[in-house]
Amino acid sequence: MSAPFSSAPDFLLAKTDAELLFLVQNPGFYHADLVATARQELQRRGVAWALPPASVEAAPPEINEDSERPWLLPALGLGLVVLAAVLYWWPTGNKSWKNKNGPVPSRELVAVQTHLMPSFDSLTKAQVRQMPALLPAAERQDTTAQRKFLLLAGRFWEAENQSAYLFQEAEAARIDSTFPGQVELTLDKWKRLTSVLVYNHKLQPTMSEQLELMHRAALLRRETLTTMKNFYIYGQPPLDQGLRYFNDSVTVMRQTLLGVPPQNRIRPMEELQKRVDAEVARKAMPQV
């Protein structure tokens, strides 16, 4: 039987004020002992905390993935016309010019290793298709609210799938110099969601509850991704026990949104305890 979890203060000491504040302000997703310890650590640091203020109700913008940038095509067309005119009248110089040192030797193409972000379009669409079945039948009758809800859910899963991928790559030590840029791209995906969550979209109750869960996951992902990126930039391991715990917490939120029964969801505190026990056992092994 594992020892009581006594390492929580140790990894909380390494957390930033922002990470501790997020944990304290979202107690419903974390073990009560961990929340209490985080609150004590904030008090020790002299950091005041309070529940986040209620958002001001405002008229939401129309969410339409097909017409978010109605100016884009006309602007591109005008730009192409201007570019064609410039190229037509641009002086081409002396076509009889020759290099004084002879022909310029052709350069050998060198393969450069790249680490591209995969596309999660198919997975995102499948996840969005699952969500209406989890809504009460009466709420599905409100087709306007359901359409808005599913558009927001699409933005959530688009960002979340990329975030989960980056975490897995960091855990498997498969990240390279493209990692900070990939994090920034993913943070932009999250911003597309959180920037419109300040509005009241007049959703049905269950939709609003699920959207609030998405918002909490978004805040946690943004905080952890930024921390991982900074760790990598400064030459430190991109993950620690605290970040792994937060990833498990988001995993529970994912499972909740996809309708995984409570008994089948992971338990972040238990997973953290297993990792701590494994680390203690590893350090106790005799060094060869």
Side-chain angles (χ1 to χ4, degrees):
M1 181 176 178
S2 62
F5 182 65
S6 59
S7 300
D10 295 334
F11 90 83
L12 287 179
L13 286 173
K15 298 295 101 184
T16 65
D17 292 348
E19 290 172 323
L20 292 175
L21 282 170
F22 184 90
L23 195 152
V24 169
Q25 291 174 344
N26 296 274
F29 297 101
Y30 306 103
H31 193 279
D33 293 342
L34 189 65
V35 174
T37 306
R39 189 179 295 115
Q40 293 172 1
E41 175 61 18
L42 285 173
Q43 291 173 347
R44 187 188 68 81
R45 298 183 188 184
V47 177
W49 61 274
L51 293 176
S55 58
V56 179
E57 182 172 327
E62 181 64 22
I63 304 173
N64 191 330
E65 299 295 332
D66 297 327
S67 60
E68 282 190 322
R69 301 178 179 88
W71 50 266
L72 186 57
L73 286 178
L76 285 175
L78 179 60
L80 289 174
V81 171
V82 173
L83 179 60
V86 170
L87 292 176
Y88 180 81
W89 294 105
W90 192 268
T92 56
N94 185 359
K95 292 183 173 58
S96 62
W97 177 87
K98 294 183 180 180
N99 185 14
K100 294 180 180 179
N101 296 324
V104 178
S106 58
R107 295 185 178 181
E108 180 182 358
L109 295 178
V110 179
V112 178
Q113 183 178 5
T114 59
H115 194 175
L116 299 178
M117 185 94 73
S119 171
F120 297 98
D121 290 346
S122 298
L123 176 59
T124 297
K125 291 177 181 177
Q127 290 162 328
V128 172
R129 284 196 298 267
Q130 286 182 250
M131 303 196 74
L134 303 175
L135 299 173
E139 293 193 10
R140 293 199 297 270
Q141 299 300 315
D142 187 346
T143 56
T144 300
Q146 180 174 274
R147 181 183 66 84
K148 290 182 179 180
F149 171 70
L150 294 180
L151 286 172
L152 292 168
R155 293 188 181 189
F156 168 80
W157 288 115
E158 185 179 17
E160 168 55 21
N161 289 330
Q162 285 190 189
S163 300
Y165 166 79
L166 290 177
F167 180 89
Q168 292 168 1
E169 293 298 287
E171 188 72 272
R174 289 193 297 260
I175 59 176
D176 54 25
S177 59
T178 62
F179 181 69
Q182 291 175 336
V183 168
E184 289 299 325
L185 290 174
T186 306
L187 291 175
D188 286 342
K189 297 283 188 183
W190 282 119
K191 187 176 180 180
R192 290 185 67 240
L193 173 67
T194 57
S195 63
V196 297
L197 293 185
V198 298
Y199 301 103
N200 179 2
H201 294 281
K202 302 187 185 303
L203 303 179
Q204 294 293 327
T206 305
M207 299 177 191
S208 297
E209 291 174 4
Q210 294 193 3
L211 193 62
E212 175 61 23
L213 193 59
M214 295 179 202
H215 193 191
R216 292 173 183 269
L219 296 177
L220 193 52
R221 280 297 196 198
R222 288 170 59 181
E223 186 69 33
T224 54
L225 283 171
T226 301
T227 302
M228 290 166 62
K229 181 192 73 173
N230 291 337
F231 280 172
Y232 178 84
I233 290 174
Y234 289 103
Q236 302 177 31
L239 293 174
D240 60 16
Q241 295 293 13
L243 293 175
R244 291 184 176 95
Y245 176 83
F246 292 148
N247 179 73
D248 289 342
S249 300
V250 177
T251 300
V252 174
M253 299 179 196
R254 285 177 60 112
Q255 293 174 330
T256 303
L257 290 169
L258 293 175
V260 176
Q263 65 272 18
N264 295 338
R265 300 171 194 166
I266 70 168
R267 294 171 173 79
M269 201 65 181
E270 293 182 7
E271 295 299 319
L272 178 58
Q273 182 67 66
K274 291 177 184 177
R275 288 192 293 267
V276 171
D277 290 345
E279 181 67 14
V280 171
R282 186 187 66 81
K283 291 181 178 179
M285 293 178 62
Q287 300 295 324
V288 179

